[in-house]
Amino acid sequence: MATSSSTTAAPASASTALSEIVREHQTTQLEHRRGTEQLRRDAIRDIGDLCDAATTSLSTQLTHVLDNQREIESLSHDCAQLVQQHARSTAKWTRLVDQFNGALKELGDVRNWAQVIERDMLDVAATLELVHSSLNPQNDAADPSVSASSPPVL
């Protein structure tokens, strides 16, 4: 009978050992689940912090970009106004230069006209002198004020 009690003791101790192993396994699994759950919570918290930091950084950068865009638009508007003002000023100066050129041409035309009139008057005077001298050939020799080389004074 000693053998039967030792065989029943062995299964009881084996059963106890098996129960102990199962309990240790369950305890290890529970600790592992708790550790995994803690790591998951930490990861979620860290991802949330990262998202918050990225959102804040992007928001700051976007604000800076929008401020720069507004400044560029304002400067562009000012530049466009200055270009329009310069265009008007240039057009005004162009008109003034054109008027000045027209006045210079008119002066040149008046000078040319005066020279043509002077030549015509000299021709008329010379012709009148010839006509006068052909009609009165004896008076020309006596009158030194009338000569063929100089035009008459008007």
Side-chain angles (χ1 to χ4, degrees):
M1 297 216 144
T3 52
S4 71
S5 72
S6 68
T7 53
T8 50
S13 69
S15 168
T16 306
L18 188 56
S19 294
E20 187 64 30
I21 291 172
V22 168
R23 239 178 300 158
E24 285 177 18
H25 176 69
Q26 288 174 344
T27 304
T28 305
Q29 273 190 328
L30 183 61
E31 288 175 8
H32 181 66
R33 275 191 219 131
R34 285 181 185 159
T36 303
E37 184 61 30
Q38 183 61 39
L39 289 174
R40 188 177 72 77
R41 284 193 300 262
D42 290 347
I44 289 172
R45 186 191 68 236
D46 291 344
I47 289 172
D49 291 346
L50 177 64
C51 287
D52 289 345
T55 302
T56 302
S57 176
L58 287 175
S59 177
T60 302
Q61 291 174 1
L62 181 62
T63 301
H64 184 67
V65 167
L66 291 175
D67 289 344
N68 286 343
Q69 181 183 1
R70 281 189 214 105
E71 182 69 22
I72 288 170
E73 287 174 353
S74 174
L75 291 173
S76 174
H77 182 346
D78 293 346
C79 185
Q81 287 179 339
L82 289 173
V83 166
Q84 288 176 351
Q85 183 181 9
H86 180 68
R88 287 190 299 269
S89 177
T90 301
K92 181 180 176 182
W93 278 103
T94 302
R95 283 191 304 274
L96 287 173
V97 167
D98 288 344
Q99 290 173 354
F100 182 71
N101 281 340
L104 284 178
K105 285 180 183 177
E106 287 176 11
L107 285 177
D109 290 345
V110 167
R111 183 175 179 199
N112 184 38
W113 175 79
Q115 289 173 347
V116 168
I117 293 294
E118 182 181 7
R119 272 186 266 125
D120 288 349
M121 293 305 288
L122 289 174
D123 289 344
V124 167
T127 303
L128 285 175
E129 211 172 288
L130 285 173
V131 169
H132 179 67
S133 63
S134 67
L135 292 177
N136 297 326
Q138 68 271 18
N139 288 344
D140 287 341
D143 189 6
S145 67
V146 178
S147 76
S149 62
S150 66
V153 178
L154 298 176

